[in-house]
Amino acid sequence: MHSLVIGIISFFLYLVSAFILGYRLSTRSSAPAGKWQALGIAIVAVSLHSWILFLSLFSEGGLNLGVFHAASLMTWVVAVLIIITALSRPTENLGIIAFPSAAIAIVLQHSFSASHMLFNWQNPIEIHILISILAYSLLSIAAVQAIILAIQDYHLRNRHPGGFIRALPPLQTMETLLFQMIAVGFVLHSLSLITGIMFLENIFAQHLVHKTVLSLIAWCVFGTLLWGRWRFGWRGRTAIRWTLGGFLALALAYLGSKVVLEVILGR
């Protein structure tokens, strides 16, 4: 089956899964049937998406990590992580944002040809790339969780706890999940920086300095947030702002720099 056809099917399945989750949330339904139906469809979408990635990322010339291929890979990892965690935790509603993002990434991957080939990539660099993608993906989920938490906090502060807010887990549970994601993502991000220092010749080279600086800023932001949580019990709006601020720096480091270099400057 042609990759374009597979991409179209995966695109629509992602949207169908997100629609089911959104409808389930809007009607405040807690029935497990809707959750498992949405996750089942998402699993098929992710499986098809993985085949697209396999065909587009790997070639005889090396690994293609152009900006749109990288975005597609990261959204795929996010979708997989959400499905896995949703099997045991109430995180399936994160798919309302994450699954359409993966669908859009598939469209961009097929529509634009920006490429960045890694020739003769060896195991050490492969480890660094893998850890970096996992860190970014997990902290992306934390950012989505923070957005949902912000909406929930706003409604509760304004004494409007009705609507879909009733279908969400309690605020304390949402915050606990948020910090668990950030803690694991912070560890992975730390490992990403360490492996970058170990396996790259110069992480402050001209073509890497902006990415390195922004990654360090994100590391400091998430580290400060975790320290503030442990030392002062930071939560609510403070946690949300720090989470989104750290993710913004990380997004600029991973994808923003690739857009500038590969799309705008054509390098």
Side-chain angles (χ1 to χ4, degrees), residues 135-257:
Y136 179 86
S137 301
L138 192 55
L139 292 172
S140 297
I141 298 175
V144 175
Q145 177 81 349
I147 292 173
I148 295 177
L149 188 61
I151 297 172
Q152 187 177 18
D153 179 74
Y154 173 81
H155 280 268
L156 292 176
R157 285 179 179 272
N158 289 274
R159 299 181 180 179
H160 297 296
F164 75 93
I165 297 299
R166 291 183 179 273
L168 294 173
L171 192 64
Q172 185 176 0
T173 301
M174 295 285 284
E175 285 186 343
T176 300
L177 287 172
L178 174 65
F179 279 98
Q180 288 175 347
M181 293 176 188
I182 293 174
V184 177
F186 179 75
V187 171
L188 290 172
H189 186 46
S190 301
L191 291 175
S192 172
L193 292 173
I194 292 172
T195 54
I197 294 172
M198 291 173 58
F199 302 142
L200 297 175
E201 293 183 3
N202 181 12
I203 62 171
F204 289 100
Q206 184 177 3
H207 66 291
L208 292 175
V209 62
H210 50 281
K211 182 180 295 185
T212 301
V213 171
L214 287 168
S215 295
L216 288 172
I217 290 174
W219 185 85
C220 291
V221 171
F222 285 117
T224 302
L225 173 57
L226 291 173
W227 177 79
R229 172 72 169 185
W230 170 76
R231 183 67 177 82
F232 302 109
W234 287 357
R235 54 177 300 180
R237 293 182 177 181
T238 301
I240 293 167
R241 289 167 183 158
W242 280 85
T243 301
L244 295 179
F247 175 73
L248 177 61
L250 201 61
L252 290 174
Y254 278 79
L255 294 178
S257 60

Side-chain angles (χ1 to χ4, degrees), residues 5 9 32 54-55 57-58 67 75 80 89 93 130 142 146 152 154 162 179 187 193 222 231 235 239 244 255:
V5 177
I9 297 174
F54 177 78
L55 294 176
L57 292 180
F58 301 98
V67 58
T75 55
V80 170
R89 294 171 177 266
N93 289 327
L130 176 62
Q152 187 177 18
Y154 173 81
F179 279 98
V187 171
L193 292 173
F222 285 117
R231 183 67 177 82
R235 54 177 300 180
L244 295 179
L255 294 178

Side-chain angles (χ1 to χ4, degrees), residues 15-84:
L15 295 183
V16 170
S17 179
F19 174 80
I20 293 174
L21 290 173
Y23 179 78
R24 177 173 175 266
L25 187 61
S26 65
T27 56
R28 293 170 286 173
S29 173
S30 58
K35 170 183 175 178
W36 297 117
Q37 182 183 21
L39 291 180
I41 295 173
I43 289 173
V44 178
V46 161
S47 300
L48 295 176
H49 192 174
S50 63
W51 179 247
I52 297 170
L53 288 171
F54 177 78
L55 294 176
S56 60
L57 292 180
F58 301 98
S59 66
E60 294 181 358
L63 179 68
N64 185 0
L65 276 183
V67 58
F68 300 113
H69 291 79
S72 182
L73 176 59
M74 290 175 181
T75 55
W76 176 83
V77 174
V78 169
V80 170
L81 290 175
I82 288 176
I83 292 172
I84 292 174

